[in-house]
Amino acid sequence: MPTKPVLALARTLPDAVEARAARDYDVRPAPVDHPPLGGDALVAHAAGADGLLVAPGNAVSAAVIDALPDSVRVIATFSVGFDHVDLDAARARGIVVTNTPDVLTDATADIAMLCLLGAARRAGEGDALMRAGAWAGWAPTHMMGTHVTGKRLGIVGMGRIGRAVAKRARAFDMTIHYNDRAPLPPHQAEGAVFHDTVEALLPQCEFLSLHCPATPETTGLMNAERIALLPRGAILVNTARGPVLDDAAVIAALKSGHLAAAGLDVYTGEPAVNPGYRDLPNTFLLPHLGSATVETREAMGFRALDNLDAVLLRGEAPGDRVA
């Protein structure tokens, strides 16, 4: 029987994904899941492996890639984003890098709407009140939030997820404004209003939802100057990447009331969260649940294995190559 390629898993994956991997590969399970493998431990785990399957949390830096054994031909990341993998270093080593696009669009868009509604309607406060047994009963002025239906929603980054959020928001009769590198064709824009700069978009946004990638250009995108361009009482939603927010500026705006609320699913330095967010009642906070459904996480794993199969089992170019 031919020897199976060796696949090193850097995270624990859904059972169905690990079962398929074990069918086709000599699988080396992740020795730990928390904290995620990185540095020398990740390099040691990849010794003798043909492929490496990583996920956000595994910092695959240039130093890690430079130290990987020559046997590693492909790194598949269990994610759409790949900012945790140094692509230039991978290219220099001739290592293929793949991601898992498309399959998590709907799940992440659902979470964005949950964050939007949760922040607007003070759901986090309400849940805490009920769990504490502190609800005194209905009252005409109790826990009034912000109406969502019919409001203006701004979207930064009108890719797959941004468009899926816009689709959901239209069910609430929201008017969609957006910024992206270029206007969408009419059949994709579906009446959404294009703004050629973020600065032009922000004054229109009673709600703002971020769906841009994490790049040097988007780091700190929502800083004090840009937040000031939002209407007073706007609500901010971030399901993109934590670093697109200047945390100190967002927290200051939440304290001053310039931002009425924020719904967040991602954070700079996660799993650490700026304590300023936890201390505020007008934040609705989730622990990076964007793709966290059984169906989506299995689909992500299968997509990662499809890419690994192409390279390691069939000698083909993978469908989702990013480097």
Side-chain angles (χ1 to χ4, degrees):
M1 179 179 291
T3 302
K4 294 179 180 179
V6 176
L7 175 60
L9 305 182
R11 301 298 297 269
T12 299
L13 302 176
D15 289 346
V17 177
E18 294 212 355
R20 175 177 151 182
R23 182 192 70 192
D24 299 322
Y25 296 93
D26 180 0
V27 170
R28 185 176 300 157
V32 295
D33 202 40
H34 294 287
L37 284 179
D40 293 342
L42 183 57
V43 173
H45 186 58
D50 300 284
L52 179 61
L53 204 165
V54 301
N58 300 120
V60 192
S61 65
V64 166
I65 290 174
D66 288 346
L68 286 175
D70 291 340
S71 61
V72 175
R73 297 160 52 197
V74 55
I75 299 170
T77 183
F78 184 90
S79 60
V80 173
F82 40 83
D83 46 295
H84 54 292
V85 181
D86 192 306
L87 300 186
D88 290 336
R91 291 188 190 99
R93 287 285 311 271
I95 298 173
V96 173
V97 180
T98 70
N99 68 338
T100 62
D102 302 324
V103 294
L104 50 71
T105 296
D106 286 328
T108 305
D110 289 348
I111 284 289
M113 290 304 296
L114 175 60
C115 285
L116 188 154
L117 291 164
R121 298 302 301 271
R122 301 174 64 174
E125 293 175 78
D127 182 75
L129 189 74
M130 296 302 292
R131 292 181 186 278
W135 184 40
W138 186 91
T141 60
H142 183 234
M143 286 192 63
M144 295 186 296
T146 300
H147 204 59
V148 171
T149 300
K151 295 293 180 67
R152 298 188 306 273
L153 170 64
I155 295 175
V156 177
M158 202 66 152
R160 298 180 188 92
I161 297 172
R163 296 197 301 274
V165 170
K167 178 181 178 180
R168 286 154 175 75
R170 290 187 185 98
F172 289 85
D173 293 327
M174 300 186 88
T175 302
I176 311 301
H177 295 253
Y178 74 99
N179 165 257
D180 211 328
R181 290 185 294 271
L184 293 172
H187 73 278
Q188 290 186 333
E190 297 187 69
V193 179
F194 173 71
H195 299 267
D196 60 359
T197 65
V198 173
E199 288 77 9
L201 169 70
L202 295 177
Q204 305 301 320
C205 302
E206 294 170 291
F207 290 81
L208 177 67
S209 192
L210 303 176
H211 301 284
C212 49
T215 67
E217 293 73 28
T218 61
T219 298
L221 176 74
M222 292 308 300
N223 55 23
E225 292 74 20
R226 291 196 179 96
I227 291 170
L229 297 176
L230 289 165
R232 184 172 181 81
I235 290 175
L236 173 66
V237 172
N238 185 21
T239 58
R241 286 290 186 270
V244 303
L245 299 184
D246 177 334
D247 287 337
V250 173
I251 290 166
L254 288 165
K255 288 180 176 178
S256 73
H258 190 79
L259 287 176
L264 309 177
D265 187 46
V266 290
Y267 310 90
T268 298
E270 57 184 62
V273 177
N274 190 310
Y277 289 127
R278 291 198 301 267
D279 294 341
L280 290 170
N282 53 342
T283 55
F284 181 77
L285 308 176
L286 296 177
H288 204 149
L289 296 181
S291 63
T293 69
V294 171
E295 298 88 345
T296 300
R297 293 283 171 85
E298 287 184 351
M300 292 168 66
F302 296 151
R303 187 75 172 248
L305 290 174
D306 289 344
N307 289 315
L308 288 160
D309 292 352
V311 176
L312 298 178
L313 301 183
R314 300 192 300 275
E316 300 172 356
D320 303 310
R321 182 171 183 166
V322 294

